[in-house]
Amino acid sequence: MSTVYDCSDPDSRTAGLTAARTTLKSGRLAVIPTDTLYGIAADAFDSAAVESLLAAKRRGRDMPVPVLVGSWSTIDGLVFSVQSQARDLIRAFWPGGLSLVVQQAPSLAWDLGDARGTVMLRMPLHPVALELLREVGPLAVSSANVSGQPPATTVDEARGQLGDLVGVYLDGGKAEHSVASTIVDLTADTPRILREGAVTTAQVAEVLGMSPDELAPEAAR
């Protein structure tokens, strides 16, 4: 059986964060609010838990799970080399709706799917998510929906799709933006936008000193 915790109530929020921490550290799944959409979370360093996350979403390993972090400094232990472009984007948009695809540190003992040595990182702008991340550490988090179904903007929408496959649901109210994050790929010589979402291409281009056209995927040029 799963349990929903109302994070607008201080006592319920405290109990929910404790339950989520215990659940995640025991290899089970939790649904958490973020500033973009609700996410289904697993301990990023627990391969079996990440497999359970993919199974709950009915999603294959060909779509690796992104990782959420609770602070800027966390990425230094996760990334092979933090480029100046990455730091510029982090300063401008973290915490917030921008995800960065980077080369992961080769020493990392995790399995997020067929990521081919890369990882997608984001720091969410949501107090409940940030508090949990700072207590538990990096979390593998994907949108809290079954693949092919609408992403969850409320905890009820998430529970309606995932049910008892998730042990703890943290209810942080309706997702503030209800739109997915923007994804910027920094693994090649030239940055490119893989998906435009909460942050516009123009905003990213301004920070990087590029034109929006330069950031578009080659197929869109």
Side-chain angles (χ1 to χ4, degrees), residues 72-181:
W72 290 7
S73 60
T74 303
I75 70 163
D76 291 317
L78 304 179
V79 177
F80 176 67
S81 176
V82 183
Q83 307 167 19
S84 60
Q85 291 170 322
R87 295 212 185 271
D88 290 342
L89 291 171
I90 286 169
R91 280 192 290 267
F93 300 113
W94 280 17
L98 185 77
S99 297
L100 301 178
V101 179
V102 294
Q103 296 289 341
Q104 71 172 46
S107 59
L108 286 176
W110 64 17
D111 182 2
L112 302 169
D114 297 332
R116 302 180 181 180
T118 68
V119 62
M120 187 162 75
L121 300 173
R122 187 169 85 87
M123 181 181 175
L125 181 58
H126 194 288
V128 174
L130 286 174
E131 185 171 347
L132 183 63
L133 287 161
R134 287 164 181 166
E135 291 181 0
V136 178
L139 292 175
V141 180
S142 184
S143 56
N145 62 294
V146 173
S147 288
Q149 297 299 312
T153 62
T154 68
V155 78
D156 288 338
E157 291 175 2
R159 197 178 189 196
Q161 295 192 50
L162 300 169
D164 289 338
L165 295 174
V166 172
V168 170
Y169 289 82
L170 299 181
D171 185 356
K174 186 174 177 63
E176 183 177 351
H177 300 297
S178 300
V179 63
S181 66

